[in-house]
Amino acid sequence: MSVIRIEGGRELHGHIRIQGSKNAALPILAATVLVPGTTVLSNCPDIRDVDLMKKLLESMGCRIQSCRGRMEIDASGISQCHLQKEYIEGMRSSIILLGAMLGRFGKACIGYPGGCVIGERPINYHLMALRELGADISIEEDQILASASCLIGKEITFPISSVGATENALLAAVSAKGVTVLKNAATEPEITALCRFLIAAGADIEGLGTRTIKITGGPLHEVHYQIPPDRIVAGTYLLTVAAAGGRVSFEDIPLQELTGLTDCLRTMGIELQCQNDAVEIISSAKYRAIPYLATEEYPGFATDLQPQMAAALTCAEGNSIIEERIFDNRFGYAKQLEKMGASVMHEGRRLLIRGTKKLHGADIEAADLRGGAALILAGLMADGVTYVKGCRYVERGYEDIVRDLSAVGARIKYAD
């Protein structure tokens, strides 16, 4: 369903389990192309992007069975290295298959990937890394053609730390001859998850979680692996409870990966209680503004939580400034918040937010994944009824945001 109806003004109470990570699952699914046998993944999120990746793998010849978060991928009979355009256009992360296909086939053909419109996300660093490893790459009529008779390990320094480029380089390097060293590599937890999967499958990788990753090429074998929990979904729900008010406990929440957010929540005056593996958030829905916040590479404040934080700060006590340093077009949701009575002003890469006492319900529309989640959060804060259109974007990253929030008392449902 693409429309969600929300009755705001209700505190949230109960328990939420955090789903498997979208941003870890997608590159790991791409990596299964390199395994000449069966990979078994557990805790795989049931989201649209995973379904699209599954269809891409099946179009290449993989045999896949999936049920309740468990996915078995048999890549032994894979034969196709030309990806179908209909799936690529809907998912940015399909580009990660380029490195995997080069490692498996020595060639690949892939169209320019799609996804959310949140600014320029060039793939030049992906292509640079693969060329450094010996790939011959050309672009013809919006298609990327790549070939390599033999990938050779090399030292590669990324001019800018890039999650996708690091992942693509990793996937190619595990099949390359010799040693590859990636410098200024991304350190996001999803990179570490991919490395751990590859190590479990037999890869020789050092430097997990650091800016320098060393990979010694070699064959992979069949493997079982559990997808870690999704830190962005967890952050979204923490912010939702903070903004709407209430008391909610969380299961399978990777709190150690959310220090950029938890520092902000404490600045806002939101209470977090942590005991063993359990985390509980307590909020009266009255909280302070954050004078200045900038998105940063991990472990800083995540760009994928910026829209949700902005929505929450529209009702904070005081004024806030958010600077977006990662993407150049990530404030598209701001005009939708204005329809709900928010006082926001977009100036270049900054969003100026003047806290107001209350938002009001409105008919609004999502244009991207995280912006859509932010609008749902705003609807829960607002007086009256809010209709959020375009929620197909939200399905790309959240298994069932209506199910999860209904379980803790939100008045939210899919509209007819």
Side-chain angles (χ1 to χ4, degrees):
M1 303 291 286
S2 63
V3 181
I4 291 177
R5 182 184 186 274
I6 305 161
E7 291 182 41
R10 185 181 179 92
E11 286 193 348
L12 307 179
H13 294 270
H15 178 84
I16 294 177
R17 177 187 173 275
I18 301 302
Q19 68 186 59
S21 169
K22 163 188 178 285
N23 291 334
L26 294 175
I28 288 170
L29 282 167
T32 65
V33 169
L34 297 169
V35 177
T38 299
T39 299
V40 179
L41 300 176
S42 59
N43 200 36
C44 206
D46 183 14
I47 55 176
R48 180 171 291 182
D49 272 14
V50 165
D51 187 56
L52 285 172
M53 182 65 82
K54 174 177 175 284
K55 290 176 180 176
L56 269 174
L57 294 175
E58 288 175 330
S59 75
M60 296 167 64
C62 291
R63 294 191 298 273
I64 301 178
Q65 295 182 342
S66 58
C67 180
R68 296 182 179 180
R70 177 184 170 91
M71 189 176 293
E72 296 185 15
I73 305 102
D74 181 359
S76 59
I78 194 168
S79 58
Q80 177 63 259
C81 57
H82 188 132
L83 299 186
Q84 295 183 19
K85 186 177 180 181
E86 61 187 287
Y87 303 131
I88 294 168
E89 288 181 337
M91 185 174 58
R92 174 76 186 181
S93 54
S94 58
I95 188 66
I96 300 169
L97 279 163
L98 190 59
M101 288 191 295
L102 277 171
R104 178 70 181 264
F105 299 111
K107 59 181 178 179
C109 177
I110 181 171
Y112 263 93
C116 291
V117 182
I118 56 174
E120 290 296 323
R121 293 194 282 184
I123 61 171
N124 53 315
Y125 298 131
H126 297 243
L127 305 186
M128 176 209 77
L130 297 176
R131 285 182 174 125
E132 287 288 308
L133 293 171
D136 181 18
I137 300 175
S138 62
I139 300 174
E140 300 178 8
E141 296 182 353
D142 293 333
Q143 285 193 326
I144 303 167
L145 306 177
S147 63
S149 57
C150 182
L151 295 172
I152 304 295
K154 192 174 181 181
E155 182 175 298
I156 300 169
T157 301
F158 294 105
I160 296 175
S161 176
S162 164
V163 172
T166 300
E167 290 168 341
N168 240 329
L170 274 165
L171 293 176
V174 293
S175 299
K177 289 186 177 180
V179 176
T180 298
V181 178
L182 306 180
K183 293 192 172 182
N184 197 29
T187 61
E188 273 71 5
E190 296 77 22
I191 298 290
T192 300
L194 175 60
C195 288
R196 286 178 175 157
F197 168 82
L198 292 169
I199 291 169
D204 183 352
I205 303 175
E206 302 174 19
L208 279 66
T210 74
R211 292 288 182 192
T212 301
I213 303 175
K214 180 182 177 181
I215 310 106
T216 302
L220 302 183
H221 54 67
E222 294 185 339
V223 62
H224 290 220
Y225 186 79
Q226 180 168 314
I227 304 296
D230 195 306
R231 64 190 175 104
I232 303 303
V233 171
T236 299
Y237 290 161
L238 284 170
L239 281 166
T240 300
V241 179
R247 184 170 189 156
V248 174
S249 62
F250 291 88
E251 177 186 351
D252 292 340
I253 183 169
L255 202 65
Q256 70 280 3
E257 299 173 1
L258 289 165
T259 55
L261 172 62
T262 56
D263 288 348
C264 288
L265 290 173
R266 292 187 175 98
T267 297
M268 295 161 68
I270 304 298
E271 183 179 354
L272 288 174
Q273 294 185 355
C274 308
Q275 187 174 6
N276 298 325
D277 294 331
V279 176
E280 187 172 50
I281 182 170
I282 304 167
S283 173
S284 65
K286 294 182 180 179
Y287 44 87
R288 298 184 293 272
I290 299 178
Y292 174 78
L293 174 63
T295 60
E296 297 176 316
E297 298 167 354
Y298 185 81
F301 190 86
T303 180
D304 277 356
L305 290 174
Q306 179 259 101
Q308 302 91 307
M309 175 60 83
L313 290 175
T314 60
C315 290
E317 296 175 355
N319 302 329
S320 304
I321 297 174
I322 295 180
E323 182 174 351
E324 174 56 55
R325 294 180 177 177
I326 308 299
F327 295 116
D328 59 1
N329 188 28
R330 198 152 207 179
F331 295 128
Y333 60 84
K335 289 194 175 298
Q336 302 302 309
L337 292 177
E338 287 181 339
K339 293 180 181 179
M340 304 178 72
S343 177
V344 294
M345 182 180 298
H346 177 199
E347 293 184 354
R349 285 183 174 261
R350 291 190 172 194
L351 190 69
L352 314 181
I353 305 168
R354 185 182 298 275
T356 186
K357 288 186 177 181
K358 204 69 177 176
L359 302 180
H360 57 75
D363 289 354
I364 52 180
E365 185 166 3
D368 64 82
L369 167 56
R370 306 305 175 185
L375 297 181
I376 292 170
L377 185 161
L380 292 171
M381 298 163 59
D383 285 334
V385 176
T386 297
Y387 285 90
V388 183
K389 300 177 182 178
C391 289
R392 63 188 180 278
Y393 290 107
V394 179
E395 294 170 2
R396 291 188 50 230
Y398 299 81
E399 283 190 344
D400 192 338
I401 199 167
V402 168
R403 174 200 67 194
D404 291 345
L405 295 177
S406 294
V408 292
R411 292 191 183 102
I412 181 172
K413 66 179 182 178
Y414 296 105
D416 297 331

